[in-house]
Amino acid sequence: MTHYGFAASGGGYRSFYTAGALVWLKQQGMPVVHITSTSSGNNIALDYLIWDWDNEELPPVLTKTVRLSLTDIFQVFSNFIGLRPKLLPTGSHLFTVDRDSCRKSLQLDNPKRREILQRNLAAVRWEILATNLTKRASQAFPVNEILATIDDASLATFMDAFIAGITTIPYFQAMTIDGDYFIEGGYMDNTPLRTLFEDPNVDEIIAIDFTDYDYHAELEKIYRSQMFTLPFNAIDMHLLISDIELTLPNKKIFTQALLINQMLEAAGKDSMELQGRTYYRKPVRVLQPKNLEAMTISLKDSTVQKKYFELGQKEAAAMFTEI
């Protein structure tokens, strides 16, 4: 049986697509033995790992956020992130991620969910990728080691890593761990593949790539707007810049992944040690949805999370049908 590694990219609302693909794999009995994630992909990975696979149709938090209701937008804020707006805005950041609220919203205060998480982590390796802004380096947090035993102390350490991995500035305040500032991993690597290539238990890799977005059309739309739309243009441009910053690095990441496989194939080897790390040659299956919006926090489409989820299921099924 093929064992899969799964890279859950960041992407705001687009991560509901990731959830669709990951849930589809589980429903088909295709074993995912290693997950890497960053940004909103962290939320999807955690929800997957607190899911009672044998007795529940969908992951528990996802169940609350794919309904066709205007309240879904607020469910996303409260159930997936635990955000609180600043009482006295200073312009430095819009929201604070409250640790206690976030932990509770992620259902980590629930003893049953803690037990399920512990059980599922015995079968799945998970790393959260963040960016150490102080040291200008990516950092992978090994969740299985952090939560070797799940209790209040280990969950406090986990929540530091989790929040670091979802922190997008200037929306959120940068996270501090051991005196260093951390932001989400997408600034350097929005599709963390490296540890999947290092894992001998992974036979194939499935990755989500959100870079197939028509940035040209978006820029044209903003540039052609009339002058009196300045405040709205500024918001749209700010969101677009953030999206570009967090997704374009994917091009380099996938180029590196292809190069690793090509070098190993050319050398006639299945693995190679480089700078103290062993990399294994593995097929990479890439799901690349087109023109999914990252930030749809508005009332213009309160059902988009369900549409993205269903699209992820559909395109995952199509990818494996083609193989």
Side-chain angles (χ1 to χ4, degrees):
M1 179 178 289
T2 302
H3 292 158
Y4 294 95
F6 190 96
S9 300
Y13 259 51
R14 289 179 295 211
S15 286
F16 286 102
Y17 176 98
T18 303
L22 194 54
V23 167
W24 184 87
L25 291 169
K26 172 53 68 176
Q27 291 172 339
Q28 307 312 306
M30 302 170 71
V32 173
V33 298
H34 190 164
I35 298 174
T36 57
S37 63
T38 192
S39 193
S40 55
N42 297 338
N43 300 81
I44 300 304
L46 176 59
D47 200 30
Y48 177 82
L49 290 167
I50 62 170
W51 176 20
D52 187 348
W53 297 331
D54 296 326
N55 300 304
E56 294 177 312
E57 182 180 358
L58 292 175
V61 180
L62 180 68
T63 299
K64 299 180 180 181
T65 53
V66 296
R67 299 172 302 184
L68 300 179
S69 167
L70 289 176
T71 60
D72 286 341
I73 292 168
F74 305 105
Q75 289 283 359
V76 170
F77 270 108
S78 63
N79 287 316
F80 263 71
I81 305 176
L83 292 180
R84 289 184 178 179
K86 291 195 68 181
L87 295 177
L88 297 173
T90 63
S92 63
H93 58 285
L94 297 177
F95 299 100
T96 297
V97 183
D98 180 79
R99 255 190 207 83
D100 293 339
S101 297
C102 188
R103 187 186 65 246
K104 181 179 180 180
S105 68
L106 295 170
Q107 300 201 17
L108 292 175
D109 285 349
N110 184 324
K112 175 187 173 183
R113 295 298 171 190
R114 292 188 182 189
E115 291 176 6
I116 293 170
L117 177 60
Q118 189 89 76
R119 182 174 70 240
N120 290 344
L121 283 175
V124 181
R125 176 179 164 187
W126 179 25
E127 284 112 15
I128 289 174
L129 189 75
T131 299
N132 186 320
L133 190 59
T134 303
K135 293 185 171 62
R136 299 170 180 80
S138 295
Q139 181 166 333
F141 290 93
V143 177
N144 302 72
E145 294 178 19
I146 294 170
L147 295 179
T149 301
I150 298 181
D151 53 30
D152 290 343
S154 63
L155 280 173
T157 302
F158 168 79
M159 288 306 302
D160 283 348
F162 183 89
I163 295 172
I166 66 171
T167 297
T168 305
I169 56 176
Y171 307 110
F172 310 153
Q173 185 177 8
M175 180 70 183
T176 55
I177 301 176
D178 296 329
D180 288 351
Y181 275 122
F182 282 82
I183 53 179
E184 67 156 272
Y187 288 96
M188 297 190 73
D189 182 355
N190 197 49
T191 307
L193 296 173
R194 180 180 60 78
T195 56
L196 299 179
F197 272 103
E198 295 175 18
D199 188 347
N201 295 317
V202 170
D203 301 313
E204 296 185 9
I205 297 171
I206 301 169
I208 313 294
D209 180 14
F210 292 125
T211 58
D212 195 350
Y213 191 80
D214 195 342
Y215 295 116
H216 181 99
E218 288 299 308
L219 284 172
E220 287 286 307
K221 182 174 67 176
I222 295 172
Y223 288 154
R224 292 177 180 178
S225 298
Q226 299 300 315
M227 187 166 53
F228 65 84
T229 60
L230 172 63
F232 304 103
N233 272 358
I235 293 171
D236 287 344
M237 181 61 82
H238 187 80
L239 293 174
L240 181 60
I241 290 170
S242 292
D243 196 36
I244 290 171
E245 289 174 339
L246 296 172
T247 57
L248 284 188
N250 270 23
K251 292 297 183 183
K252 180 180 179 181
I253 297 303
F254 283 108
T255 298
Q256 291 174 336
L258 179 62
L259 182 62
I260 289 173
N261 277 335
Q262 289 175 336
M263 286 193 303
L264 288 171
E265 185 175 4
K269 295 183 177 181
D270 291 324
S271 66
M272 181 181 294
E273 186 174 331
L274 184 64
Q275 295 181 339
R277 300 181 185 276
T278 301
Y279 297 90
Y280 297 86
R281 180 155 57 100
K282 305 172 189 295
V284 181
R285 316 288 184 187
V286 182
L287 286 164
Q288 192 173 42
K290 298 180 182 296
N291 289 323
L292 301 190
E293 291 188 54
M295 300 298 291
T296 56
I297 308 298
S298 71
L299 297 180
K300 66 180 181 181
D301 188 354
S302 64
T303 67
V304 71
Q305 55 268 33
K306 184 175 179 67
K307 294 175 184 175
Y308 287 1
F309 175 77
E310 291 175 345
L311 182 64
Q313 291 188 305
K314 177 182 176 181
E315 294 193 351
M319 179 177 68
F320 281 93
T321 298
E322 294 169 359
I323 297 174

